[in-house]
Amino acid sequence: DIQMTQSPSSLSASVGDRVTITCRASQSISTYLNWFQQKPGKAPKLLIFAASSLQSGVSSRFSGSGSGTDFTLTISSLQPEDLATYYCQQSYSTPLTFGQGTRLEIK
Amino acid sequence: QVQLQESGPGLVKPSQTLSLTCTVSGGSISSGDYYWSWIRQPPGKGLEWIGYIYRSGSSFYNPALKSRIIISIDTSKNQFSLKLSSVTAADTALYYCARRDGQQLVHDYWGQGTLVTVSS
């Protein structure tokens, strides 16, 4: 199985801050990497697919980059509604696996 | 707009079989290049992919659960289902159904989730 490791596990930032979350795969997954946002009590929502493609309807404040084993999700200017847990997921091979999540808090 | 809705018992006894159904609306489950997935999330924990099925009936399971899982599809009802046998407390989780786009390889539509508790 491909292991996905996110860092940090949690972070606190202020409105307007630039926020970066990283995800590392245990082997190369090319750009088969997706990012999800899960707000409390809600289902995950797709933000980024194929490492850097913005899902339709998602704010352009979100961007993704990376390939191989190292990936990054960036929020350019943090907003209060970005309070959530963020997950990366590899779609390179089954079993599909997720990172453990990064909990984002607003200061 | 595609919508997915999970249904099934919220309480299952240990050693019994958990059975859930996902009803798809706003699109046909038998058209397009889509896989129909089950994903679960234990309370306060992360996401675990259980498996998915294609419209042809071909299914792919997580090896960690493979011996206990059956995912089936009923195109006439626009539904797909999950059966997980021999459940224990460790199977207590929020169970989501989702659509996986076969081209973009992403889960783009999700149900709201249904909580299943395993307890006597």
Side-chain angles (χ1 to χ4, degrees):
Chain A
D1 298 6
I2 298 175
Q3 306 303 316
M4 307 300 294
T5 304
Q6 290 180 231
S7 61
S9 295
S10 64
L11 71 100
S12 182
S14 300
V15 172
D17 282 354
R18 182 181 181 88
V19 172
T20 298
I21 298 169
T22 63
C23 178
R24 175 165 289 177
S26 60
Q27 66 182 73
S28 178
I29 58 171
S30 183
T31 57
Y32 292 94
L33 190 283
N34 309 312
W35 289 98
F36 293 89
Q37 175 194 64
Q38 186 177 33
K39 295 186 176 181
K42 299 294 187 181
K45 173 187 174 183
L46 177 65
L47 298 177
I48 301 285
F49 64 95
S52 60
S53 296
L54 189 68
Q55 174 68 351
S56 175
V58 173
S59 170
S60 58
R61 295 184 292 104
F62 293 93
S63 64
S65 65
S67 66
T69 60
D70 294 312
F71 302 87
T72 299
L73 173 69
T74 299
I75 307 173
S76 60
S77 178
L78 190 66
Q79 299 301 304
E81 61 265 29
D82 299 334
L83 167 72
T85 300
Y86 294 83
Y87 293 95
C88 62
Q89 181 215 24
Q90 64 83 15
S91 56
Y92 181 81
S93 66
T94 57
L96 306 179
T97 47
F98 293 84
Q100 80 279 15
T102 295
R103 181 170 295 182
L104 176 56
E105 298 178 345
I106 312 297
K107 285 182 184 174
Chain B
Q1 177 82 346
V2 174
Q3 293 185 317
L4 297 92
Q5 178 68 58
E6 305 88 351
S7 59
L11 181 64
V12 181
K13 289 182 168 53
S15 80
Q16 293 191 342
T17 297
L18 176 160
S19 295
L20 295 174
T21 295
C22 182
T23 301
V24 179
S25 58
S28 173
I29 201 171
S30 57
S31 63
D33 188 14
Y34 302 112
Y35 294 78
W36 303 94
S37 269
W38 288 99
I39 295 163
R40 70 180 183 178
Q41 184 172 36
K45 297 188 177 180
L47 298 159
E48 180 182 34
W49 173 74
I50 298 170
Y52 54 53
I53 191 165
Y54 197 62
R55 62 187 186 206
S56 63
S58 298
S59 54
F60 303 83
Y61 300 152
N62 189 327
L65 300 167
K66 186 175 183 178
S67 64
R68 299 194 290 133
I69 301 171
I70 297 175
I71 297 178
S72 58
I73 191 166
D74 187 338
T75 55
S76 66
K77 295 181 179 179
N78 230 33
Q79 295 176 333
F80 63 105
S81 298
L82 168 69
K83 290 189 185 301
L84 178 64
S85 61
S86 305
V87 297
T88 69
D91 295 309
T92 292
L94 194 55
Y95 284 77
Y96 293 102
C97 59
R99 187 185 83 168
R100 185 180 193 232
D101 186 311
Q103 299 298 313
Q104 304 293 354
L105 303 183
V106 289
H107 291 97
D108 53 1
Y109 289 94
W110 296 62
Q112 64 185 22
T114 188
L115 178 63
V116 179
T117 301
V118 178
S119 175
S120 55

